[in-house]
């Protein structure tokens, strides 16, 4: 069990191993940790020092069981997930702080509440949200691989206040209800961007669509010389009485 304090060294958890990180005190990780078993988190976790890694191997489980944050502040820190990173308890938010990149080739699962990613990372695996739950790409630069898959009856995407940058190709379905998207990215022929809700969705980058975009909320182009390219065979479907506007262009 781990209820507080700082752990140093470099260590691992075996497939039959279990680390129970609980209690209100911050648990500081001042080393690299590789998990092949199970970690349950129900209290705040802090990454200490630069370039620290928490590696969740294929078949391993990192289970967030409460509304607690994972904080950084030093820079260069990463969660590398090839297994399952799950939020199974708490109806509010587990925010992963802006200095921590999330490299996902496994599965991110929001069963309850919200997983909020604020440090960017790589999206090559799956993201799924149950009904009433959410996975938010809130800040940082995300490299979106065509192999990434987003699913579930909940929300996976960008909300009001979010300022992520996307690079790469979306070949799955993503939701966008507000906030500002930066970067230069594309939607594949089998990709779908659902832009809905009353909050303005601001595009501060170029977007090439070879799939489908459904628009049922206001869209604004920001900055000079921005392009939304709707390629041959693609669909941009305006599904309500909204208008696109421009700013500083």
């Amino acid at each position: 069990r781990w209820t507080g304090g700082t752990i140093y060294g470099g260590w691992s958890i075996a497939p039959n191993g279990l680390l129970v990180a609980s209690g209100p005190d911050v648990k500081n990780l001042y080393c690299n940790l590789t998990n092949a078993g199970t970690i349950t988190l129900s209290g705040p976790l802090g990454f200490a020092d630069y370039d620290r890694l928490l590696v969740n191997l294929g078949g391993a489980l990192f289970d967030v069981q409460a509304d607690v944050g994972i904080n950084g502040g030093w820079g260069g820190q990463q969660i590398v997930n090839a297994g399952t990173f799950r939020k199974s308890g708490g109806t509010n938010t587990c925010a992963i702080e802006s200095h921590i990149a999330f490299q996902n080739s496994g599965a991110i699962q929001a069963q309850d509440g919200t997983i909020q990613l604020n440090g960017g990372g790589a999206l090559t695996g799956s993201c799924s949200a149950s009904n009433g739950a959410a996975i938010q790409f809130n800040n940082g630069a995300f490299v979106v691989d065509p192999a990434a898959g987003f699913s579930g009856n909940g929300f996976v995407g960008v909300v009001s206040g979010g300022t992520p940058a996307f690079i790469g190709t979306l070949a799955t379905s993503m939701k966008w209800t507000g906030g500002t998207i930066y970067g230069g990215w594309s939607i594949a022929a089998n990709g779908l961007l659902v832009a809905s809700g009353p909050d303005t969705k601001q595009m501060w980058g170029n977007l090439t669509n070879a799939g489908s975009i459904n628009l049922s909320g206001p869209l604004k182009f920001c900055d000079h010389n921005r392009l939304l390219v709707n390629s041959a065979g693609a669909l941009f479907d305006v599904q309500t009485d909204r208008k696109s506007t421009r700013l500083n262009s």
Side-chain angles (χ1 to χ4, degrees):
R1 296 179 184 270
W2 185 17
T3 60
T6 302
I7 294 181
Y8 296 82
W11 56 303
S12 61
I13 299 171
N16 62 336
L18 169 64
L19 175 63
V20 179
S22 62
D25 294 336
V26 176
K27 291 148 279 292
N28 289 300
L29 190 67
Y30 214 104
C31 61
N32 295 337
L33 172 58
T34 299
N35 178 38
T38 300
I39 298 173
T40 62
L41 181 69
S42 56
L45 175 65
F47 279 56
D49 205 6
Y50 297 96
D51 302 325
R52 294 305 177 192
L53 297 177
L54 195 161
V55 179
N56 201 45
L57 297 175
L61 173 64
F62 191 106
D63 188 14
V64 181
Q65 299 180 337
D67 298 319
V68 293
I70 301 177
N71 302 313
W74 295 79
Q77 297 141 339
Q78 297 182 69
I79 295 174
V80 180
N81 180 53
T84 299
F85 185 98
R86 180 173 73 196
K87 188 175 188 296
S88 63
T91 58
N92 292 317
T93 300
C94 170
I96 299 173
E97 202 257 351
S98 61
H99 292 88
I100 304 172
F102 200 110
Q103 317 294 356
N104 183 53
S105 60
I108 304 174
Q109 299 175 353
Q111 295 179 343
D112 286 298
T114 297
I115 298 172
Q116 186 182 84
L117 305 180
N118 291 288
L123 302 173
T124 61
S126 65
C127 295
S128 62
S130 300
N131 187 42
I135 299 170
Q136 297 174 357
F137 309 123
N138 200 56
N139 198 6
F142 294 91
V143 179
V144 184
D145 190 271
F150 305 158
S151 63
N153 293 323
F155 182 93
V156 180
V158 182
V159 299
S160 183
T163 57
F166 289 134
I167 305 162
T169 301
L170 179 74
T172 186
S173 176
M174 186 177 80
K175 298 177 181 179
W176 184 17
T177 59
T180 303
I181 294 181
Y182 296 81
W185 56 302
S186 61
I187 300 172
N190 60 334
L192 170 63
L193 177 64
V194 179
S196 63
D199 293 336
T200 299
K201 289 148 280 292
Q202 299 189 96
M203 192 172 74
W204 203 290
N206 295 335
L207 173 59
T208 299
N209 178 38
S212 297
I213 298 175
N214 294 343
L215 180 67
S216 58
L219 175 66
K220 177 181 285 187
F221 285 56
C222 299
D223 205 9
H224 301 279
N225 304 320
R226 293 304 174 193
L227 297 177
L228 194 161
V229 179
N230 202 46
S231 299
L235 173 65
F236 189 106
D237 187 11
V238 180
Q239 298 179 335
T240 189
D241 297 324
R242 296 290 183 183
K243 68 177 180 179
S244 296
T245 62
R246 62 181 184 176
L247 176 66
N248 297 332
S249 58

